[in-house]
Amino acid sequence: MPEFAPFTDLLLQYPLAGVATDDPTIRRMTITPYPYLIFYEATNDEIIIHAVRHGARDPSNNPGSA
Protein backbone atom coordinates (compact mmCIF):
# COMPACT_ATOMS: atom_id res chain seq x y z
CA MET A 1 0.00 0.00 0.00
CA PRO A 2 1.36 3.46 -0.83
CA GLU A 3 2.31 6.12 1.66
CA PHE A 4 -0.75 8.29 2.37
CA ALA A 5 0.84 11.11 4.40
CA PRO A 6 1.47 13.44 1.40
CA PHE A 7 -2.11 12.88 0.25
CA THR A 8 -3.64 13.63 3.64
CA ASP A 9 -1.40 16.67 4.11
CA LEU A 10 -2.56 18.02 0.74
CA LEU A 11 -6.23 17.47 1.60
CA LEU A 12 -5.87 19.27 4.92
CA GLN A 13 -4.62 22.35 3.06
CA TYR A 14 -6.78 22.00 -0.09
CA PRO A 15 -9.86 19.89 0.68
CA LEU A 16 -11.39 20.49 -2.76
CA ALA A 17 -8.25 19.48 -4.68
CA GLY A 18 -9.79 16.25 -5.94
CA VAL A 19 -11.98 15.85 -9.01
CA ALA A 20 -15.75 15.98 -8.51
CA THR A 21 -17.64 12.73 -9.13
CA ASP A 22 -21.25 12.09 -10.14
CA ASP A 23 -22.11 12.37 -6.45
CA PRO A 24 -21.68 16.06 -5.55
CA THR A 25 -20.41 15.21 -2.05
CA ILE A 26 -17.64 12.81 -3.13
CA ARG A 27 -14.36 13.81 -4.75
CA ARG A 28 -11.61 11.63 -6.26
CA MET A 29 -7.85 11.96 -6.16
CA THR A 30 -5.12 9.72 -7.59
CA ILE A 31 -2.11 8.86 -5.48
CA THR A 32 0.95 8.97 -7.69
CA PRO A 33 3.09 7.20 -8.72
CA TYR A 34 0.75 4.41 -7.62
CA PRO A 35 -2.49 3.73 -9.48
CA TYR A 36 -4.68 4.13 -6.38
CA LEU A 37 -7.82 6.25 -6.37
CA ILE A 38 -8.98 7.85 -3.14
CA PHE A 39 -12.66 8.74 -2.83
CA TYR A 40 -13.38 11.25 -0.09
CA GLU A 41 -15.82 13.81 1.20
CA ALA A 42 -14.78 17.21 2.54
CA THR A 43 -17.07 18.74 5.13
CA ASN A 44 -16.61 21.93 7.13
CA ASP A 45 -15.07 19.96 9.99
CA GLU A 46 -13.46 16.84 8.54
CA ILE A 47 -12.23 14.82 5.58
CA ILE A 48 -14.00 11.45 5.27
CA ILE A 49 -12.25 8.82 3.14
CA HIS A 50 -14.92 6.56 1.65
CA ALA A 51 -12.75 4.20 -0.38
CA VAL A 52 -9.25 3.41 -1.62
CA ARG A 53 -9.31 1.51 -4.91
CA HIS A 54 -6.75 0.31 -7.42
CA GLY A 55 -7.08 2.23 -10.69
CA ALA A 56 -7.42 -0.98 -12.75
CA ARG A 57 -10.67 -2.00 -11.04
CA ASP A 58 -14.06 -1.63 -12.71
CA PRO A 59 -14.90 2.10 -12.43
CA SER A 60 -18.67 1.50 -12.43
CA ASN A 61 -18.41 0.34 -8.79
CA ASN A 62 -16.49 3.41 -7.62
CA PRO A 63 -18.08 5.66 -5.00
CA GLY A 64 -19.74 8.62 -6.69
CA SER A 65 -20.34 6.83 -9.99
CA ALA A 66 -23.88 6.86 -11.33
Side-chain angles (χ1 to χ4, degrees):
M1 198 57 124
E3 175 62 42
F4 289 103
F7 165 76
T8 55
D9 292 344
L10 177 67
L11 283 184
L12 290 172
Q13 290 185 332
Y14 305 101
L16 301 179
V19 177
T21 65
D22 291 341
D23 181 330
T25 64
I26 297 179
R27 302 185 76 78
R28 181 188 77 230
M29 184 175 278
T30 303
I31 294 181
T32 55
Y34 309 99
Y36 286 98
L37 304 174
I38 308 298
F39 294 86
Y40 71 94
E41 179 178 351
T43 71
N44 289 335
D45 301 320
E46 61 190 351
I47 304 291
I48 303 164
I49 296 178
H50 289 280
V52 179
R53 299 191 54 137
H54 192 278
R57 293 189 65 176
D58 180 5
S60 65
N61 294 325
N62 287 340
S65 63

